[in-house]
Amino acid sequence: MSSPSHASPAAHGAPSPRPRPNIVFVMSDDHAAHAISAYGSRVNSTPHMDRLAREGARLDAMYCTNSICTPSRASILTGTYSHINGAATLYTEFDHRVPTVSEALQSAGYATALFGKWHLGDSPSALPRGFDAWRILPGQGEYWDPRLLTPDGEEQHEGYVTDLLTDMALDWIDEERAQRPLAPFCLMLHHKAPHRPWIPHPRHAELHPVGSIPEPDTLLEDLSTRSQAVQGARMSIADDLTRTDVKEDMPAELRADDRREDRARWNYQRYLRDYLQTVQAVDDSVGRVLDHLDQLGIAEDTLVVYTSDQGFFLGDHGLFDKRLMYDESLQMPMLVRWPAEVPAGSRVTSMLRNVDIAATLLDVAGVDPEQAMPGQQGRSFRPLLRGEEIEDWPRAVYYRYWEHDDPAHHAPAHYGIRTEDFAYIDYYGAGLGAPGASDRIFEREYELYDLRTDPRELRNVAGDPAYAGIRADLAAQLAQMQAEVGDHPYTGPGSWRPDWNHGTASARDADAETRSTGD
C-alpha cells in the first residue's frame, strides 16, 4: 500500500490538473484591422470575429516586422526576424534553418495540422515540417477549384477555397478526436482571402454595392510631404489598380489627367466591394470553427486566435497593398479567446510583435520556448492576455522591409521604430542583394510622425527643427533595437547583408502569378 506522501492530488479530493489546451490558429492574408467591426470598422460587419473579441481579448497593438506575406509568415512560425530566418522577400523560400513552433508542439505531444496558404516555398526543402497532416496552396493559390499540395502529391478540389479549407480543418479535428481523444491538438487554418485579386463567393454578391462604401478621409491625400521613394511606389488607388482588380473596364473619360480624384473614387468602390466580400467568407469560416468547438464541447479548453499576416491599405493615403511602415500596413489584427484564462471582453494595449506569437503558443502549451526553439527572438505575452502588467515589457517595435524597388510595387527598402508616441522611418533605399530587390540605389530619406498629435501620420516632421532632439533620441533607440535583434545598420552599398535563401527556380516560377498580383 502506498504511503500518503505518494498519493496523487486527486486522492485527497483536489481537482485534477487542467489538460493542455487545444490551439486553433486562424490566419488570413492582408486583412486590415480596420475591416473588422470589433476594431471599429466603418465599412463592414464581421459578427463572428466580433464574437471572438466579445468572448476573449482584442489586441490593439500587434505589429508585423516586415509587412509582406512570406517574411511575416516565417517570423510567425519561427519567432525570428527576417535577417535570421532568411525568408526576407517574396522571392525567398523558408529553408528551415531555424526551428518552427509546429515542430516544437509536435515534439511536445500535440497533434498538428496545417490547411491553406503556406507561401514559404514549394520545393521539397521548403515544404511544411512539424505537421501530422497538411494541405497547402502552391504559391498564392486560386480562389476557385484550387490545387493543393500534400505529403502524398497534388490534389485538385472543386469549390470556393475559403469554404474548402474550413471543411478540411473541421474534418481533421473530428478525425483526430476519434483517433486520439485525449491528445491536445494545434490546428493552423491559413486562408488565402482577402488577398488580391479579391474574388468573392456569389453568396456575398449583394454586400457593399458600389457607391455605398464610406471613403477614408485620406483617400485623396496629397503625398508631397512624404519621401520621394514613397511617392514613387506603385500602390495608388487612382493609378495602379488593374482591370483584373476592379473586374470591369474603367470609363474612358476617367483616364484623363484632370480626373484623378474621380478615378480614385471609382476604383475604390470596386476594390473595397470585392475585398470586403472576400472578408465576409473568412468571417463565415470563423463562425463555423467556433460553432464546431461548441458542438464538440471543447471550447472551454481551446485557445482560438484570429489574425492576419499583416495589415493593408484600404484607400488610406490613397493606397492599396502594404509594405510601408505606416500603421494601416504595420498593424496586424489579433483576437484571442481562451475561456479558461482570457477575460471576456478584454483589451491588450501593450506593443506586441509577430515574433512574439510562437513563444506565446508554446507557453500556452506548457513548453519552454527557449528550450524548444533555441534562438527564437520573441517573448510570450500570455500574462498580458490574463490581464497582468509586465513592467519591463518593450514599448517600441523594430521594423525592416528588405524587398527594395520590387518589379511590381517599387516600394523602397527601409527600417524604423514605432513607439507609443512616434514613428521614425529611415528610407535607406538599397537592395543589398535581397532576392527580388533591384540594384537601384535611392537617395536616403527620413520620415517622422508625432502620433500624439498626428495619429493618421499625415505630417512628416523629420525636418522640423522643433523635433531635432526627438529625432536624435529615436535614431539612437532604433540603433539599439537593431543591435538587440542582431540586425545591422545601412552604411552604404557594401553594408552587411544576411545569408539569403534564394529558393529554387521551380519555386520562383510557381510564384510568378503571386508576384504579379501582390504577394
Side-chain angles (χ1 to χ4, degrees), residues 88-357:
T89 75
L90 300 182
Y91 294 73
T92 53
E93 288 189 329
F94 177 55
D95 61 5
H96 294 275
R97 66 181 64 177
V98 289
T100 63
V101 65
S102 56
E103 292 171 300
L105 288 170
Q106 188 183 55
S107 296
Y110 270 71
T112 55
L114 165 67
F115 300 98
K117 183 174 178 182
W118 175 244
H119 208 197
L120 293 171
D122 303 338
S123 64
S125 63
L127 291 174
R129 299 181 190 177
F131 294 101
D132 301 323
W134 54 267
R135 291 187 176 96
I136 61 170
L137 297 164
Q140 187 53 244
E142 301 290 341
Y143 272 101
W144 284 100
D145 301 335
R147 181 169 59 96
L148 293 172
L149 305 182
T150 79
D152 300 319
E154 294 187 8
E155 296 177 346
Q156 185 69 47
H157 292 263
E158 294 184 0
Y160 190 63
V161 67
T162 307
D163 298 340
L164 288 170
L165 295 174
T166 308
D167 292 342
M168 294 173 191
L170 300 185
D171 288 347
W172 179 81
I173 292 177
D174 291 343
E175 293 166 4
E176 190 57 40
R177 296 280 295 172
Q179 295 173 10
R180 295 190 287 174
L182 299 182
F185 64 82
C186 174
L187 166 68
M188 292 189 169
L189 173 54
H190 291 186
H191 287 298
K192 170 186 173 62
H195 192 279
R196 196 179 187 186
W198 314 299
I199 300 177
H201 193 285
R203 70 175 179 269
H204 298 129
E206 302 305 315
L207 295 176
H208 314 294
V210 166
S212 70
I213 305 170
E215 296 177 357
D217 295 339
T218 58
L219 177 63
L220 305 178
E221 180 189 335
D222 177 4
L223 301 180
S224 61
T225 66
R226 301 184 186 273
S227 70
Q228 290 294 319
V230 168
Q231 294 180 52
R234 299 303 303 271
M235 296 158 50
S236 164
I237 289 283
D239 301 320
D240 298 317
L241 288 170
T242 69
R243 190 193 185 286
T244 300
D245 296 326
V246 299
K247 318 297 189 302
E248 62 181 288
D249 291 323
M250 178 182 291
E253 61 271 18
L254 293 185
R255 299 183 183 277
D257 290 344
D258 61 354
R259 297 293 300 277
R260 192 173 188 275
E261 291 189 2
D262 296 330
R263 185 163 67 247
R265 289 192 160 108
W266 190 93
N267 275 338
Y268 170 81
Q269 290 293 325
R270 287 151 183 83
Y271 154 51
L272 254 289
R273 172 198 61 197
D274 295 344
Y275 177 95
L276 297 175
Q277 287 177 3
T278 64
V279 165
Q280 214 64 41
V282 177
D283 191 63
D284 292 346
S285 172
V286 171
R288 291 181 60 197
V289 169
L290 297 180
D291 288 346
H292 202 71
L293 297 175
D294 287 341
Q295 292 162 9
L296 294 175
I298 58 175
E300 183 73 15
D301 288 311
T302 299
L303 172 79
V304 180
V305 178
Y306 177 77
T307 190
S308 172
D309 50 1
Q310 61 258 330
F312 212 66
F313 294 112
L314 304 181
D316 316 283
H317 312 296
L319 303 174
F320 69 97
D321 207 72
K322 54 269 182 181
R323 302 167 190 270
L324 303 175
M325 205 193 99
Y326 302 140
D327 267 9
E328 295 88 356
S329 163
L330 187 65
Q331 183 188 5
M332 300 163 57
M334 182 166 281
L335 306 168
V336 179
R337 189 190 74 174
W338 184 14
E341 190 163 309
V342 178
S346 57
R347 291 174 58 189
V348 177
T349 58
S350 298
M351 302 188 78
L352 311 173
R353 310 160 299 172
N354 59 359
V355 296
D356 296 322
I357 294 172

Side-chain angles (χ1 to χ4, degrees), residues 78-81 84-85 98-99 369-378 485:
T78 68
T80 61
Y81 286 83
I84 299 294
N85 60 54
V98 289
E370 297 297 333
Q371 292 184 4
M373 297 176 63
Q376 70 87 26
Q377 298 175 290
V485 302

